[in-house]
Amino acid sequence: MEIAVVGLGVIGGSFVKALHEIKQPEDSIYGIDIDQTTLDFAREGGYIVYGEQKNETILQEADLVIMGLYPEAMKVFLKEHMNEFKKDAIILDTSGVKQILLKDIETYFPPQADLILGHPMAGRESRGFAYAEGTIYKNANFLLTPIESNKEENIEYIVDLLYEIGFGRVTITTPEIHDEMIAFTSQLTHAIAVALMNSDQYEDETIRFVGDSYRDLTRIANINENLWAELFMENRSYLLKVIEQFKEEFTKLEAAVEKEDVATLIELFQKSSKRRQALETSDYKLNKEREKIQIEKSRNDFV
Amino acid sequence: MEIAVVGLGVIGGSFVKALHEIKQPEDSIYGIDIDQTTLDFAREGGYIVYGEQKNETILQEADLVIMGLYPEAMKVFLKEHMNEFKKDAIILDTSGVKQILLKDIETYFPPQADLILGHPMAGRESRGFAYAEGTIYKNANFLLTPIESNKEENIEYIVDLLYEIGFGRVTITTPEIHDEMIAFTSQLTHAIAVALMNSDQYEDETIRFVGDSYRDLTRIANINENLWAELFMENRSYLLKVIEQFKEEFTKLEAAVEKEDVATLIELFQKSSKRRQALETSDYKLNKEREKIQIEKSRNDFV
């Protein structure tokens, strides 16, 4: 099988490395990346057999194409190359926002291939192929948002491949639910981390006073500014909604501190504790379910 | 040497386990805890030689006493036992707020012993001796807030002991600076995590959509409600101040999303990235310094 990965940053690069681990002797992995040094590095490391800065022959021969591009770059790439994909190729998108992407690429859908939209819930603070690791996908969530034109057997093929790569849970959902949930679990968390980091008034001295909580909450404040500005803009209305929800809860807590209302404070702490424990419990339960799903090789329907 | 630990929860219990690792053959560790099962468990595990639910003989013989109590409980314990400590004993406090504690215990200072106020920047979400581990202190910060009555050689003894236990950095500061910084690095982060967790509108479905960022930011939302309500109340004014600072930064970010102001968004992301990277750099630099401090066995002055 011929596999192409487009964009060898952390996401695409991690796919290259993960696929390298599980590939069969007859499989070959190719890379397309605007940066020649990255391609050379990937080839010299034995991860790809051949790379191109701009597609010349790779897409025409690839049975599976994994796109490691930002939403905007994804649109530009499809527009330029929509007719170059091999007949019946499967293309897997991995970008972070779905509704606007669908709208943007509406007229650039490769007619002869099957483009499947997906989103791995994993990443790294640092950028580039050097920081890519197949292990970032181990036990991670993967979200698939199939559209009507997708072939059932291709979705099943991708689900199997993702589990083989090591993803912990593949969920099939709609672009709308994806975007709403991601605004909460991913964009809001990044907004909070950035604001927390920027509200530090002490800078050089802070490090002496931190525990794990501050380290954990600010880790993602080291952020890829162009990618995240794009994601924030493209998921703007859902993000503004969850920002409001968070502010409401934060204000409840602030009011309790202000009024020295210990009873409410304890109630809020108990609620969050119960919820955080439930998150872990459902994580465990879903992992049990997953085992069954993997055996049956069936789709793991969420909606 | 006779060492007593009062309160065998996560903090005290972790001291018991850490001390157990480094103790000399002639040292003995004793425990005081209101829960007999905990004492039995610690004794059967070989961590303490003997325990008492209420002090009878332990404090009278201990050369070093480590207090693993909440601020309120600390006050009650000192009031009741202030005259029972051995002459020239060193008592190390580990509670989370300093200014109000100092005020509260003003009249309960053990006259014949040297009470040193300190705060390990480490903990666990789960409670009790079973979750205590000496390793939680490895590379962690420890804050010491000496007062005039503390003997210089006792402070030095404690600094050495803490490094021997495995703390990564011992900082000497004032109760005021301690409380202000802790409001930011510890109480604010817990307030944010609780509000984020409580703002989840999706509950059972959320787990399918989370990545590491959501897990990291909500880990401490599983919170010991009584301890933290106490800490929030006792450090109320500093906490309200840093809540305001955070809200201001969060509002900047929200406004940029609202107005589709990509330039400001990118600026905020760049600022937080730079700061987060600087945090790691100064962490590394201070660790280099620490080596020097350990060799010289001198005090690591912050103020």
Side-chain angles (χ1 to χ4, degrees):
Chain A
M1 188 182 214
E2 314 290 285
I3 306 169
V5 178
V6 180
L8 303 189
V10 164
I11 296 299
S14 296
F15 267 103
V16 165
K17 290 177 180 176
L19 288 164
H20 182 74
E21 287 296 310
I22 60 163
K23 78 184 189 67
Q24 301 298 316
E26 65 273 21
D27 297 336
S28 299
I29 305 173
Y30 301 86
I32 298 178
D33 195 283
I34 47 168
D35 181 41
Q36 186 60 46
T37 316
T38 296
L39 290 172
D40 293 344
F41 190 76
R43 202 174 39 77
E44 281 155 23
Y47 296 109
I48 61 170
V49 289
Y50 169 68
E52 289 174 356
Q53 282 184 271
K54 197 170 171 350
N55 178 58
E56 286 166 35
T57 59
I58 291 176
L59 294 183
Q60 291 82 341
E61 288 168 24
D63 308 293
L64 170 66
V65 183
I66 293 174
M67 309 291 296
L69 298 179
Y70 298 5
E72 273 301 308
M74 173 81 181
K75 174 179 158 187
V76 173
F77 189 91
L78 283 178
K79 183 176 178 182
E80 198 165 340
H81 302 286
M82 59 182 285
N83 293 311
E84 294 165 21
F85 292 93
K86 186 175 175 181
K87 189 174 178 304
D88 295 327
I90 301 175
I91 309 166
L92 178 64
D93 144 76
T94 62
S95 65
V97 179
K98 296 296 168 233
Q99 278 173 284
I100 202 161
L101 178 74
L102 264 172
K103 219 177 120 223
D104 280 352
I105 63 175
E106 208 175 10
T107 50
Y108 310 130
F109 258 82
Q112 73 287 19
D114 197 8
L115 172 57
I116 296 171
L117 305 188
H119 183 192
M121 296 305 296
R124 275 276 171 92
E125 285 68 66
S126 306
R127 306 169 206 186
F129 189 77
Y131 295 97
E133 283 297 341
T135 49
I136 69 170
Y137 297 139
K138 289 274 172 278
N139 300 318
N141 278 317
F142 195 101
L143 307 172
L144 277 173
T145 58
I147 50 175
E148 235 173 282
S149 63
N150 291 145
K151 286 189 190 142
E152 177 73 23
E153 69 262 31
N154 288 346
I155 299 284
E156 269 169 32
Y157 170 79
I158 289 292
V159 170
D160 288 346
L161 179 72
L162 292 169
Y163 279 128
E164 209 186 328
I165 280 174
F167 281 94
R169 192 181 301 126
V170 181
T171 296
I172 293 177
T173 184
T174 66
E176 294 74 23
I177 292 177
H178 170 275
D179 288 358
E180 184 177 359
M181 295 301 296
I182 283 326
F184 177 66
T185 60
S186 179
Q187 285 142 11
L188 176 62
T189 50
H190 282 77
I192 288 171
V194 166
L196 174 61
M197 195 77 233
N198 287 346
S199 78
D200 178 7
Q201 309 289 309
Y202 315 98
E203 302 204 35
D204 287 354
E205 290 133 30
T206 306
I207 188 67
R208 292 181 171 276
F209 295 86
V210 304
D212 287 340
S213 63
Y214 188 79
R215 289 183 203 273
D216 281 359
L217 265 80
T218 58
R219 184 180 58 81
I220 53 173
N222 184 7
I223 190 170
N224 180 330
E225 70 269 16
N226 296 312
L227 169 61
W228 285 89
E230 204 179 303
L231 294 173
F232 273 35
M233 283 304 114
E234 289 176 347
N235 210 19
R236 199 173 147 268
S237 49
Y238 283 130
L239 177 56
L240 288 171
K241 189 184 130 191
V242 294
I243 281 177
E244 277 321 300
Q245 282 163 204
F246 170 73
K247 277 170 70 178
E248 209 172 288
E249 282 298 326
F250 195 66
T251 304
K252 269 188 214 168
L253 210 146
E254 184 189 16
V257 176
E258 188 115 46
K259 290 187 279 186
E260 303 186 57
D261 179 355
V262 175
T264 299
L265 213 49
I266 286 181
E267 216 173 89
L268 293 171
F269 290 165
Q270 282 171 338
K271 184 177 173 186
S272 70
S273 297
K274 223 176 110 189
R275 284 172 159 227
R276 188 55 172 79
Q277 288 156 20
L279 192 82
E280 277 157 39
T281 310
S282 60
D283 202 5
Y284 174 78
K285 272 196 206 148
L286 283 170
N287 278 337
K288 286 271 160 205
E289 265 179 42
R290 192 236 309 178
E291 286 163 26
K292 219 166 47 192
I293 285 164
Q294 276 181 298
I295 292 157
E296 293 171 7
K297 286 194 183 298
S298 78
R299 281 168 70 169
N300 175 7
D301 260 68
F302 165 60
V303 281
Chain B
M1 188 181 212
E2 313 291 285
I3 305 169
V5 178
V6 180
L8 302 189
V10 164
I11 296 299
S14 296
F15 267 102
V16 165
K17 290 177 180 175
L19 288 165
H20 181 74
E21 287 297 311
I22 59 163
K23 79 185 189 68
Q24 301 298 316
E26 65 273 20
D27 297 335
S28 299
I29 305 173
Y30 302 85
I32 298 178
D33 195 282
I34 46 169
D35 181 43
Q36 186 60 47
T37 317
T38 296
L39 290 172
D40 293 345
F41 190 74
R43 203 175 38 77
E44 280 155 24
Y47 295 109
I48 60 170
V49 288
Y50 169 68
E52 289 173 356
Q53 282 184 271
K54 199 171 169 350
N55 178 58
E56 286 166 36
T57 59
I58 291 176
L59 293 183
Q60 290 83 342
E61 287 167 25
D63 306 293
L64 171 66
V65 182
I66 293 174
M67 309 291 297
L69 299 179
Y70 298 4
E72 273 300 309
M74 174 80 182
K75 175 179 156 187
V76 173
F77 189 90
L78 284 180
K79 184 176 178 180
E80 199 164 340
H81 302 287
M82 60 183 283
N83 292 311
E84 294 164 22
F85 292 92
K86 186 177 175 182
K87 189 170 176 306
D88 295 328
I90 300 175
I91 309 166
L92 179 64
D93 146 74
T94 61
S95 66
V97 179
K98 296 297 168 232
Q99 278 173 284
I100 203 163
L101 177 73
L102 264 172
K103 217 176 121 225
D104 280 351
I105 63 174
E106 208 174 8
T107 50
Y108 310 130
F109 258 82
Q112 73 288 21
D114 197 10
L115 171 56
I116 296 171
L117 305 188
H119 184 191
M121 296 306 296
R124 276 276 171 90
E125 284 69 66
S126 307
R127 304 168 208 188
F129 190 78
Y131 294 98
E133 282 298 341
T135 50
I136 69 170
Y137 297 139
K138 289 275 172 276
N139 299 319
N141 277 316
F142 195 101
L143 306 173
L144 276 173
T145 59
I147 50 173
E148 235 172 281
S149 63
N150 291 145
K151 286 190 189 140
E152 177 72 25
E153 69 261 31
N154 289 346
I155 299 284
E156 269 169 31
Y157 170 79
I158 290 292
V159 170
D160 288 346
L161 179 72
L162 293 168
Y163 279 129
E164 209 186 330
I165 280 174
F167 282 94
R169 193 181 301 126
V170 180
T171 295
I172 293 177
T173 185
T174 66
E176 294 73 24
I177 293 178
H178 170 276
D179 288 359
E180 184 177 357
M181 294 301 296
I182 284 326
F184 177 66
T185 60
S186 179
Q187 285 144 8
L188 176 62
T189 51
H190 281 77
I192 288 171
V194 166
L196 174 61
M197 194 77 232
N198 287 347
S199 78
D200 178 7
Q201 310 288 308
Y202 314 99
E203 302 203 35
D204 287 353
E205 290 133 31
T206 307
I207 188 65
R208 291 181 171 275
F209 295 86
V210 305
D212 287 339
S213 64
Y214 188 78
R215 290 184 204 273
D216 281 358
L217 265 80
T218 58
R219 184 180 58 80
I220 53 172
N222 184 8
I223 190 171
N224 179 330
E225 69 269 17
N226 296 312
L227 170 61
W228 284 89
E230 205 179 302
L231 294 173
F232 273 36
M233 283 303 114
E234 290 176 346
N235 211 19
R236 199 174 147 267
S237 51
Y238 282 130
L239 177 55
L240 287 171
K241 189 185 130 191
V242 294
I243 282 177
E244 277 321 299
Q245 283 164 202
F246 170 73
K247 277 171 70 179
E248 209 173 285
E249 282 299 326
F250 195 67
T251 304
K252 270 189 213 167
L253 210 146
E254 184 189 17
V257 177
E258 188 116 47
K259 290 186 279 186
E260 302 185 60
D261 179 355
V262 175
T264 299
L265 213 49
I266 287 181
E267 215 173 274
L268 293 171
F269 291 165
Q270 283 171 337
K271 183 178 173 186
S272 69
S273 298
K274 223 176 110 189
R275 283 170 159 229
R276 188 57 172 77
Q277 287 157 19
L279 192 81
E280 276 157 42
T281 310
S282 59
D283 203 5
Y284 174 78
K285 272 196 205 148
L286 284 170
N287 278 337
K288 286 273 159 203
E289 265 179 44
R290 191 234 312 176
E291 285 163 27
K292 219 165 44 189
I293 285 164
Q294 276 181 298
I295 292 159
E296 294 171 7
K297 286 195 182 299
S298 78
R299 285 168 68 170
N300 176 6
D301 260 68
F302 165 62
V303 280

